[in-house]
Amino acid sequence: MNASLERMLHEIQVETADSSAWTGISAIEPAVIDALRQTDRGAFVGDDYRHLAYANRPLPVGFGQTISQPFIVALMTQLLLPRPDATMLEIGTGSCYQAAVLARLVKRVVSIEIIAALAERATKQIAKLAIDNVDIHHGDGYRGWPELAPYDGIIVTACATEIPPPLIEQLKPGARMVIPVGAAYGPQDLLVVEKSLAGVTSSRSVLPVAFVPFKRSADDPALA
Ligand code: SAH
């Protein structure tokens, strides 16, 4: 047993209980906890931060980006209602930790990253870890990934100022999107967006959060 990892999982449950008045979730489910236990966060952070890999904290992963706090990864994973036959879309690959956790619970994860060097590093990392059900693509996730749409769930791990309409289009009726929406470095809400079987979309806020901003390739030629 890895004591630091078990402490991280314990801290996730404590924070989940502490924030249940916001989220309505009092505990992270065993399947999600197992996915976290089996995904070594240490493999997704650089050497400088490896000693902090099991801290319940976000950590820098280079290029001004961060690996999310483990509690947030657990919460977002559970909010997506992952099922073994699901194909999920993630926007914001970053270190690929979130995608690797989710990939243990679903059939396939398609993950889009706007920073080419991060997409490349993550692609190498999942190959090294022999994870074969995560597809990483470099691009602007605002457009989603129409090739495999519609998705059984969409997770966005950078904070957008609005819900990108192409992502709503690419969500299957009856499915959910989990996305932080708000101001860059300002107030942000983690939203659960649900598309009804009739195709009607509604959303609710589950928690105030702090994510790095959602970038657009149109705003920065270096990202195109
Ligand atoms: N899920 C990541 C955390 C990512 S941080 C993990 O587990 O490590 C957010 C990531 O979103 C950053 O890598 C950032 O480059 C990326 N990003 C920001 N805007 C994007 C966009 N429009 N399309 C795709 N990725 C984007």
Side-chain angles (χ1 to χ4, degrees), residues 86-90 98-100 102-104 106-111 133-136 155:
T87 297
M88 301 275 195
L89 175 67
E90 179 191 38
Q98 170 72 74
L102 191 56
R104 293 196 177 272
V106 301
K107 188 167 83 189
R108 176 151 298 277
V109 178
V110 178
S111 185
N133 60 340
V134 176
D135 300 332
I136 298 167
I155 173 169

PDB file of all heavy atoms in Angstrom, residues 86-90 98-100 102-104 106-111 133-136 155:
ATOM      1  N   ALA A  86     -19.033   3.856 -22.588  1.00  0.00           N
ATOM      2  CA  ALA A  86     -19.091   5.256 -23.011  1.00  0.00           C
ATOM      3  C   ALA A  86     -17.856   5.714 -23.797  1.00  0.00           C
ATOM      4  O   ALA A  86     -16.740   5.274 -23.534  1.00  0.00           O
ATOM      5  CB  ALA A  86     -19.260   6.152 -21.781  1.00  0.00           C
ATOM      6  N   THR A  87     -18.102   6.612 -24.733  1.00  0.00           N
ATOM      7  CA  THR A  87     -17.021   7.353 -25.388  1.00  0.00           C
ATOM      8  C   THR A  87     -17.150   8.798 -24.917  1.00  0.00           C
ATOM      9  O   THR A  87     -18.197   9.417 -25.075  1.00  0.00           O
ATOM     10  CB  THR A  87     -17.146   7.278 -26.922  1.00  0.00           C
ATOM     11  OG1 THR A  87     -16.998   5.910 -27.310  1.00  0.00           O
ATOM     12  CG2 THR A  87     -16.059   8.101 -27.608  1.00  0.00           C
ATOM     13  N   MET A  88     -16.078   9.295 -24.279  1.00  0.00           N
ATOM     14  CA  MET A  88     -16.118  10.634 -23.690  1.00  0.00           C
ATOM     15  C   MET A  88     -15.149  11.557 -24.410  1.00  0.00           C
ATOM     16  O   MET A  88     -14.089  11.126 -24.858  1.00  0.00           O
ATOM     17  CB  MET A  88     -15.688  10.571 -22.219  1.00  0.00           C
ATOM     18  CG  MET A  88     -16.529   9.669 -21.346  1.00  0.00           C
ATOM     19  SD  MET A  88     -17.952  10.559 -20.763  1.00  0.00           S
ATOM     20  CE  MET A  88     -18.535   9.509 -19.437  1.00  0.00           C
ATOM     21  N   LEU A  89     -15.496  12.831 -24.445  1.00  0.00           N
ATOM     22  CA  LEU A  89     -14.627  13.857 -25.021  1.00  0.00           C
ATOM     23  C   LEU A  89     -14.095  14.738 -23.895  1.00  0.00           C
ATOM     24  O   LEU A  89     -14.874  15.190 -23.047  1.00  0.00           O
ATOM     25  CB  LEU A  89     -15.430  14.714 -26.019  1.00  0.00           C
ATOM     26  CG  LEU A  89     -14.699  15.915 -26.626  1.00  0.00           C
ATOM     27  CD1 LEU A  89     -13.556  15.458 -27.548  1.00  0.00           C
ATOM     28  CD2 LEU A  89     -15.687  16.791 -27.432  1.00  0.00           C
ATOM     29  N   GLU A  90     -12.773  14.952 -23.898  1.00  0.00           N
ATOM     30  CA  GLU A  90     -12.179  15.890 -22.938  1.00  0.00           C
ATOM     31  C   GLU A  90     -11.555  17.045 -23.709  1.00  0.00           C
ATOM     32  O   GLU A  90     -10.855  16.823 -24.698  1.00  0.00           O
ATOM     33  CB  GLU A  90     -11.075  15.228 -22.102  1.00  0.00           C
ATOM     34  CG  GLU A  90     -10.463  16.244 -21.121  1.00  0.00           C
ATOM     35  CD  GLU A  90      -9.180  15.777 -20.423  1.00  0.00           C
ATOM     36  OE1 GLU A  90      -8.351  15.112 -21.069  1.00  0.00           O
ATOM     37  OE2 GLU A  90      -9.020  16.100 -19.242  1.00  0.00           O
ATOM     38  N   GLN A  98      -6.277  13.461 -15.956  1.00  0.00           N
ATOM     39  CA  GLN A  98      -7.739  13.317 -15.932  1.00  0.00           C
ATOM     40  C   GLN A  98      -8.199  12.297 -16.984  1.00  0.00           C
ATOM     41  O   GLN A  98      -9.036  11.430 -16.701  1.00  0.00           O
ATOM     42  CB  GLN A  98      -8.395  14.685 -16.198  1.00  0.00           C
ATOM     43  CG  GLN A  98      -9.897  14.658 -16.441  1.00  0.00           C
ATOM     44  CD  GLN A  98     -10.719  14.362 -15.203  1.00  0.00           C
ATOM     45  OE1 GLN A  98     -10.863  15.208 -14.321  1.00  0.00           O
ATOM     46  NE2 GLN A  98     -11.282  13.154 -15.126  1.00  0.00           N
ATOM     47  N   ALA A  99      -7.637  12.384 -18.174  1.00  0.00           N
ATOM     48  CA  ALA A  99      -8.028  11.449 -19.247  1.00  0.00           C
ATOM     49  C   ALA A  99      -7.669  10.019 -18.858  1.00  0.00           C
ATOM     50  O   ALA A  99      -8.430   9.082 -19.108  1.00  0.00           O
ATOM     51  CB  ALA A  99      -7.348  11.837 -20.555  1.00  0.00           C
ATOM     52  N   ALA A 100      -6.510   9.843 -18.214  1.00  0.00           N
ATOM     53  CA  ALA A 100      -6.068   8.492 -17.826  1.00  0.00           C
ATOM     54  C   ALA A 100      -6.978   7.910 -16.742  1.00  0.00           C
ATOM     55  O   ALA A 100      -7.302   6.718 -16.765  1.00  0.00           O
ATOM     56  CB  ALA A 100      -4.617   8.537 -17.347  1.00  0.00           C
ATOM     57  N   LEU A 102     -10.201   8.759 -16.247  1.00  0.00           N
ATOM     58  CA  LEU A 102     -11.489   8.494 -16.898  1.00  0.00           C
ATOM     59  C   LEU A 102     -11.419   7.242 -17.773  1.00  0.00           C
ATOM     60  O   LEU A 102     -12.376   6.459 -17.832  1.00  0.00           O
ATOM     61  CB  LEU A 102     -11.861   9.733 -17.730  1.00  0.00           C
ATOM     62  CG  LEU A 102     -13.269   9.816 -18.289  1.00  0.00           C
ATOM     63  CD1 LEU A 102     -14.319   9.687 -17.184  1.00  0.00           C
ATOM     64  CD2 LEU A 102     -13.446  11.144 -19.043  1.00  0.00           C
ATOM     65  N   ALA A 103     -10.272   7.052 -18.421  1.00  0.00           N
ATOM     66  CA  ALA A 103     -10.102   5.918 -19.340  1.00  0.00           C
ATOM     67  C   ALA A 103     -10.225   4.571 -18.633  1.00  0.00           C
ATOM     68  O   ALA A 103     -10.489   3.561 -19.271  1.00  0.00           O
ATOM     69  CB  ALA A 103      -8.763   6.023 -20.058  1.00  0.00           C
ATOM     70  N   ARG A 104     -10.044   4.571 -17.312  1.00  0.00           N
ATOM     71  CA  ARG A 104     -10.211   3.313 -16.562  1.00  0.00           C
ATOM     72  C   ARG A 104     -11.678   2.965 -16.363  1.00  0.00           C
ATOM     73  O   ARG A 104     -12.009   1.851 -15.942  1.00  0.00           O
ATOM     74  CB  ARG A 104      -9.534   3.407 -15.194  1.00  0.00           C
ATOM     75  CG  ARG A 104      -8.034   3.503 -15.312  1.00  0.00           C
ATOM     76  CD  ARG A 104      -7.368   3.213 -13.987  1.00  0.00           C
ATOM     77  NE  ARG A 104      -5.929   3.235 -14.155  1.00  0.00           N
ATOM     78  CZ  ARG A 104      -5.201   2.168 -14.515  1.00  0.00           C
ATOM     79  NH1 ARG A 104      -5.789   1.013 -14.719  1.00  0.00           N
ATOM     80  NH2 ARG A 104      -3.913   2.282 -14.655  1.00  0.00           N
ATOM     81  N   VAL A 106     -14.315   4.067 -18.684  1.00  0.00           N
ATOM     82  CA  VAL A 106     -15.121   4.117 -19.912  1.00  0.00           C
ATOM     83  C   VAL A 106     -14.392   3.392 -21.045  1.00  0.00           C
ATOM     84  O   VAL A 106     -13.245   2.971 -20.879  1.00  0.00           O
ATOM     85  CB  VAL A 106     -15.430   5.584 -20.328  1.00  0.00           C
ATOM     86  CG1 VAL A 106     -16.188   6.315 -19.233  1.00  0.00           C
ATOM     87  CG2 VAL A 106     -14.151   6.338 -20.709  1.00  0.00           C
ATOM     88  N   LYS A 107     -15.083   3.284 -22.192  1.00  0.00           N
ATOM     89  CA  LYS A 107     -14.480   2.554 -23.313  1.00  0.00           C
ATOM     90  C   LYS A 107     -13.379   3.367 -23.985  1.00  0.00           C
ATOM     91  O   LYS A 107     -12.310   2.843 -24.283  1.00  0.00           O
ATOM     92  CB  LYS A 107     -15.581   2.212 -24.336  1.00  0.00           C
ATOM     93  CG  LYS A 107     -15.090   1.295 -25.449  1.00  0.00           C
ATOM     94  CD  LYS A 107     -16.241   0.739 -26.248  1.00  0.00           C
ATOM     95  CE  LYS A 107     -16.655   1.751 -27.299  1.00  0.00           C
ATOM     96  NZ  LYS A 107     -17.872   1.448 -27.999  1.00  0.00           N
ATOM     97  N   ARG A 108     -13.666   4.659 -24.221  1.00  0.00           N
ATOM     98  CA  ARG A 108     -12.707   5.465 -24.982  1.00  0.00           C
ATOM     99  C   ARG A 108     -12.773   6.919 -24.544  1.00  0.00           C
ATOM    100  O   ARG A 108     -13.854   7.437 -24.263  1.00  0.00           O
ATOM    101  CB  ARG A 108     -13.054   5.341 -26.469  1.00  0.00           C
ATOM    102  CG  ARG A 108     -12.238   6.182 -27.424  1.00  0.00           C
ATOM    103  CD  ARG A 108     -12.121   5.541 -28.795  1.00  0.00           C
ATOM    104  NE  ARG A 108     -11.438   4.245 -28.752  1.00  0.00           N
ATOM    105  CZ  ARG A 108     -10.117   4.078 -28.746  1.00  0.00           C
ATOM    106  NH1 ARG A 108      -9.304   5.112 -28.787  1.00  0.00           N
ATOM    107  NH2 ARG A 108      -9.596   2.869 -28.685  1.00  0.00           N
ATOM    108  N   VAL A 109     -11.613   7.570 -24.492  1.00  0.00           N
ATOM    109  CA  VAL A 109     -11.561   9.006 -24.209  1.00  0.00           C
ATOM    110  C   VAL A 109     -10.856   9.683 -25.377  1.00  0.00           C
ATOM    111  O   VAL A 109      -9.764   9.274 -25.775  1.00  0.00           O
ATOM    112  CB  VAL A 109     -10.778   9.304 -22.902  1.00  0.00           C
ATOM    113  CG1 VAL A 109     -10.695  10.816 -22.658  1.00  0.00           C
ATOM    114  CG2 VAL A 109     -11.407   8.606 -21.706  1.00  0.00           C
ATOM    115  N   VAL A 110     -11.508  10.698 -25.923  1.00  0.00           N
ATOM    116  CA  VAL A 110     -10.896  11.525 -26.958  1.00  0.00           C
ATOM    117  C   VAL A 110     -10.543  12.836 -26.271  1.00  0.00           C
ATOM    118  O   VAL A 110     -11.414  13.462 -25.663  1.00  0.00           O
ATOM    119  CB  VAL A 110     -11.898  11.784 -28.112  1.00  0.00           C
ATOM    120  CG1 VAL A 110     -11.276  12.674 -29.168  1.00  0.00           C
ATOM    121  CG2 VAL A 110     -12.368  10.473 -28.714  1.00  0.00           C
ATOM    122  N   SER A 111      -9.282  13.231 -26.312  1.00  0.00           N
ATOM    123  CA  SER A 111      -8.861  14.422 -25.573  1.00  0.00           C
ATOM    124  C   SER A 111      -8.157  15.399 -26.504  1.00  0.00           C
ATOM    125  O   SER A 111      -7.292  15.009 -27.284  1.00  0.00           O
ATOM    126  CB  SER A 111      -7.942  14.008 -24.410  1.00  0.00           C
ATOM    127  OG  SER A 111      -7.617  15.131 -23.616  1.00  0.00           O
ATOM    128  N   ASN A 133      -6.723   3.364 -24.734  1.00  0.00           N
ATOM    129  CA  ASN A 133      -8.068   3.848 -25.066  1.00  0.00           C
ATOM    130  C   ASN A 133      -8.213   5.364 -24.863  1.00  0.00           C
ATOM    131  O   ASN A 133      -9.298   5.870 -24.600  1.00  0.00           O
ATOM    132  CB  ASN A 133      -9.142   3.085 -24.268  1.00  0.00           C
ATOM    133  CG  ASN A 133      -8.978   3.240 -22.763  1.00  0.00           C
ATOM    134  OD1 ASN A 133      -7.903   3.588 -22.278  1.00  0.00           O
ATOM    135  ND2 ASN A 133     -10.042   2.991 -22.025  1.00  0.00           N
ATOM    136  N   VAL A 134      -7.078   6.082 -24.984  1.00  0.00           N
ATOM    137  CA  VAL A 134      -7.113   7.550 -24.980  1.00  0.00           C
ATOM    138  C   VAL A 134      -6.521   8.026 -26.306  1.00  0.00           C
ATOM    139  O   VAL A 134      -5.402   7.658 -26.651  1.00  0.00           O
ATOM    140  CB  VAL A 134      -6.288   8.146 -23.809  1.00  0.00           C
ATOM    141  CG1 VAL A 134      -6.256   9.674 -23.886  1.00  0.00           C
ATOM    142  CG2 VAL A 134      -6.845   7.711 -22.455  1.00  0.00           C
ATOM    143  N   ASP A 135      -7.293   8.821 -27.052  1.00  0.00           N
ATOM    144  CA  ASP A 135      -6.792   9.419 -28.299  1.00  0.00           C
ATOM    145  C   ASP A 135      -6.559  10.896 -28.038  1.00  0.00           C
ATOM    146  O   ASP A 135      -7.500  11.603 -27.647  1.00  0.00           O
ATOM    147  CB  ASP A 135      -7.836   9.335 -29.423  1.00  0.00           C
ATOM    148  CG  ASP A 135      -8.213   7.908 -29.750  1.00  0.00           C
ATOM    149  OD1 ASP A 135      -7.375   7.027 -29.557  1.00  0.00           O
ATOM    150  OD2 ASP A 135      -9.362   7.700 -30.194  1.00  0.00           O
ATOM    151  N   ILE A 136      -5.347  11.358 -28.265  1.00  0.00           N
ATOM    152  CA  ILE A 136      -5.036  12.769 -28.031  1.00  0.00           C
ATOM    153  C   ILE A 136      -4.879  13.477 -29.378  1.00  0.00           C
ATOM    154  O   ILE A 136      -4.211  12.959 -30.276  1.00  0.00           O
ATOM    155  CB  ILE A 136      -3.753  12.901 -27.194  1.00  0.00           C
ATOM    156  CG1 ILE A 136      -3.982  12.248 -25.827  1.00  0.00           C
ATOM    157  CG2 ILE A 136      -3.342  14.366 -27.035  1.00  0.00           C
ATOM    158  CD1 ILE A 136      -2.732  12.039 -25.025  1.00  0.00           C
ATOM    159  N   ILE A 155     -16.092  16.553 -20.900  1.00  0.00           N
ATOM    160  CA  ILE A 155     -15.470  17.218 -19.750  1.00  0.00           C
ATOM    161  C   ILE A 155     -14.519  18.284 -20.286  1.00  0.00           C
ATOM    162  O   ILE A 155     -13.708  18.012 -21.174  1.00  0.00           O
ATOM    163  CB  ILE A 155     -14.769  16.187 -18.824  1.00  0.00           C
ATOM    164  CG1 ILE A 155     -13.968  16.904 -17.731  1.00  0.00           C
ATOM    165  CG2 ILE A 155     -13.881  15.215 -19.578  1.00  0.00           C
ATOM    166  CD1 ILE A 155     -13.468  15.960 -16.638  1.00  0.00           C
TER     167      ILE A 155
END
